[in-house]
């Protein structure tokens, strides 16, 4: 059995974590033992599900303590291994790869999803100096570079690596069966006004929820019965609830938290809105299209997210909230039909995703042997 360790900052509900959780049964069918390493504060809501599927969870110090992180992860790899693959989704992505090389792990995958959070919070001059250093660390310690989109590739690996074809594109797969039509019109215990606007995403700065609330305020002024559903959880939950109250939108905006009935929620909504500041390739945007839900996205999101062109409209973040509201209301009333087959054809099905992952590991293993 192949032993593979995925390294993440946390096991909170998010695109990468959800994909990996849903991938575990197929991984077992392939004879893989998938384990995870996270920071000591990162076990998250999904940790029990990972444990039930047989994944071991190892805890390390956070990236603010890099030397302790390296010591701890290196010890885990040596003590609990041997591992054949270390797959880093970590932020910053290079740290787990350094530990993996120290522990003689042959396959070391650097995976970019949207860019390094530490880099984004640095002042511009510091960021310009730090980025090449981190890229050199990745070049030295990774046997393969992977990204979910062109935007994510450039953000972590640089324009030269993307242009030269050094970065492999990999699409996280979706368990589309959970988006099937259950026959329920609305989620349990919920009703809807008309229209119902939906957003799915972690409640954090990059998702731009405060602008979303401004957009909804404009929609509500035009259509007093409108409702906004926000699915997800995160560090900005309290601030956003206070913002809703201050805007006089209490009762019109519902924070639904982490949900297991997303298929029903997508199908009950009328328009999906995602005005993100930063994204790699958001899986919620793919899920929305899979259910035939019209979408309005910010132009900061990669066009690679487009599966069903007739369902998607793009707007710049500089566009005023009232123009966004016009665009959202203009998407109402479009015929709905299931688009899951298109999503699978575009490569976002779980089976094709796992097959692609196997090819990535074989490629990385070949490069590792060649450089040994």
């Amino acid at each position: 059995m192949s032993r593979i360790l995925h390294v993440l900052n946390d096991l909170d509900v998010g695109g990468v974590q959800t994909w990996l959780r849903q991938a575990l049964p197929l991984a077992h069918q392939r004879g893989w033992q998938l384990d995870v390493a996270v920071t000591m504060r990162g076990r998250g809501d999904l940790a029990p599900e990972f444990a039930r599927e047989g994944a071991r969870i190892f805890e390390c110090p956070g990236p603010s303590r890099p030397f302790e992180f390296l010591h701890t992860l290196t010890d885990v790899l040596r003590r609990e291994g041997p591992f054949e693959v270390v797959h880093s989704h970590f932020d910053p992505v290079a740290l787990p790869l350094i530990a993996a090389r120290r522990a003689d792990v042959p396959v070391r995958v650097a995976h970019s999803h949207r860019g390094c959070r530490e880099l984004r919070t640095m002042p511009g001059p510091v960021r310009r100096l730090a980025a090449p250093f981190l890229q050199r660390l990745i070049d030295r310690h990774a046997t393969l570079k992977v990204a979910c989109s062109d935007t994510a590739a450039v953000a972590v690996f640089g324009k030269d690596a993307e242009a030269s074809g050094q970065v492999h594109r990999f699409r996280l797969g979706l368990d589309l069966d959970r988006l099937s039509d259950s026959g329920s019109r609305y989620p349990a215990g919920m009703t809807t006004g008309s229209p119902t606007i939906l957003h799915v995403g972690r409640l954090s700065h990059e998702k731009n929820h405060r602008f979303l609330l401004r957009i909804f305020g404009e929609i509500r002024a035009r259509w007093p019965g409108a409702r906004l559903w926000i699915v997800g959880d995160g560090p900005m939950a309290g601030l956003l609830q206070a913002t809703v109250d201050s805007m006089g939108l209490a009762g019109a905006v519902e924070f639904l938290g982490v949900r297991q009935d997303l298929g029903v929620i997508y199908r009950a909504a009328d328009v999906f809105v995602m005005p993100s500041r930063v994204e790699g390739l958001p899986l919620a945007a793919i899920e929305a299209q899979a259910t035939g839900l019209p979408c309005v996205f910010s132009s900061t999101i990669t066009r690679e997210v487009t599966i069903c062109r007739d369902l998607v409209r793009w707007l710049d973040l500089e566009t005023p909230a009232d123009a966004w509201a016009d665009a959202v209301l203009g998407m109402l009333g479009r015929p709905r039909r299931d688009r899951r087959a298109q999503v699978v054809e575009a490569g976002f099905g779980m089976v094709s995703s796992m097959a692609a992952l196997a090819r990535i590991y074989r490629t990385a293993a070949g490069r590792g042997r060649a450089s040994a």
Side-chain angles (χ1 to χ4, degrees):
M1 175 176 287
S2 297
R3 303 276 300 284
I4 299 167
L5 184 72
H6 284 254
V7 187
L8 308 93
N9 292 72
D10 57 58
L11 290 178
D12 292 335
V13 176
V16 180
Q17 295 88 337
T18 300
W19 161 75
L20 188 56
R21 158 63 189 87
Q22 294 174 1
L24 285 171
L26 287 178
H28 295 159
Q29 291 177 21
R30 286 182 168 272
W32 299 350
Q33 170 62 39
L34 291 191
D35 297 320
V36 294
V38 296
T39 62
M40 290 177 177
R41 297 182 180 181
R43 291 183 70 88
D45 294 332
L46 289 176
E49 296 185 31
F50 274 82
R52 281 196 294 271
E53 289 292 339
R56 297 181 299 169
I57 302 172
F58 305 108
E59 296 182 351
C60 300
S64 63
R65 297 151 59 192
F67 296 107
E68 292 180 54
F69 174 90
L70 288 173
H71 174 77
T72 302
L73 184 58
T74 302
D75 181 65
V76 166
L77 291 169
R78 289 171 174 165
R79 184 183 69 249
E80 304 292 342
F83 289 93
E84 296 179 26
V85 179
V86 166
H87 191 140
S88 175
H89 310 273
F90 202 69
D91 190 1
V93 71
L95 272 182
L97 306 177
I98 297 170
R101 189 174 183 186
R102 286 181 176 179
D104 298 319
V105 178
V107 176
R108 304 180 296 274
V109 179
H111 199 147
S112 172
H113 296 280
R114 65 181 180 190
C116 178
R117 185 181 301 110
E118 278 71 16
L119 280 181
R120 293 198 302 272
T121 58
M122 290 178 181
V126 178
R127 183 167 61 250
R128 286 190 288 274
L129 290 172
F133 172 72
L134 291 175
Q135 288 166 11
R136 285 195 294 272
L137 284 178
I138 294 169
D139 289 341
R140 180 174 182 181
H141 297 287
T143 56
L144 201 69
K145 303 171 186 174
V146 178
C148 66
S149 67
D150 51 0
T151 303
V154 172
V156 171
F157 305 124
K159 293 181 179 179
D160 292 342
E162 169 69 356
S164 63
Q166 298 175 26
V167 184
H168 287 241
R169 194 71 78 251
F170 174 66
R171 292 178 169 172
L172 302 180
L174 294 167
D175 178 7
L176 296 172
D177 289 341
R178 72 190 184 110
L179 301 179
S180 60
D181 188 350
S182 67
S184 299
R185 177 64 180 94
Y186 301 119
M190 294 172 59
T191 59
T192 182
S194 180
T196 300
I197 311 306
L198 174 65
H199 174 86
V200 178
R202 178 172 165 79
L203 305 186
S204 54
H205 174 77
E206 60 269 17
K207 298 294 186 178
N208 209 9
H209 291 95
R210 298 181 78 175
F211 184 55
L212 173 66
L213 292 175
R214 287 169 51 199
I215 295 167
F216 181 67
E218 296 287 344
I219 292 172
R220 185 80 172 177
R222 293 162 171 75
W223 204 317
R227 303 185 71 83
L228 172 62
W229 291 345
I230 298 178
V231 176
D233 199 358
M236 291 187 66
L239 176 60
L240 292 173
Q241 183 63 69
T243 302
V244 166
D245 295 339
S246 68
M247 294 177 67
L249 295 174
V253 178
E254 297 188 55
F255 291 93
L256 306 184
V258 176
R259 304 286 296 209
Q260 300 300 320
D261 56 347
L262 276 177
V264 178
I265 290 174
Y266 282 122
R267 294 175 191 280
D270 296 297
V271 183
F272 182 85
V273 182
M274 182 173 276
S276 302
R277 293 184 174 95
V278 179
E279 290 284 359
L281 197 153
L283 293 183
I286 305 294
E287 290 177 336
Q289 293 173 75
T291 63
L293 183 61
C295 303
V296 180
F297 299 143
S298 64
S299 57
T300 58
I301 300 174
T302 175
R303 294 301 199 273
E304 293 174 63
V305 82
T306 306
I307 306 299
C308 311
R309 295 184 181 277
D310 59 309
L311 294 180
V312 177
R313 182 165 179 187
W314 304 87
L315 289 174
D316 293 336
L317 288 179
E318 292 75 19
T319 302
D322 60 345
W324 273 76
D326 291 339
V328 172
L329 291 173
M331 301 292 278
L332 292 173
R334 299 199 173 196
R336 296 284 296 273
R337 61 182 177 87
D338 191 289
R339 304 290 188 95
R340 285 180 295 167
Q342 286 180 254
V343 171
V344 171
E345 186 177 351
F348 288 97
M350 185 58 75
V351 172
S352 61
S353 176
M354 294 303 290
L357 189 62
R359 291 193 296 271
I360 284 171
Y361 289 160
R362 287 195 296 270
T363 300
R367 291 187 178 182
R369 287 192 293 269
S371 61

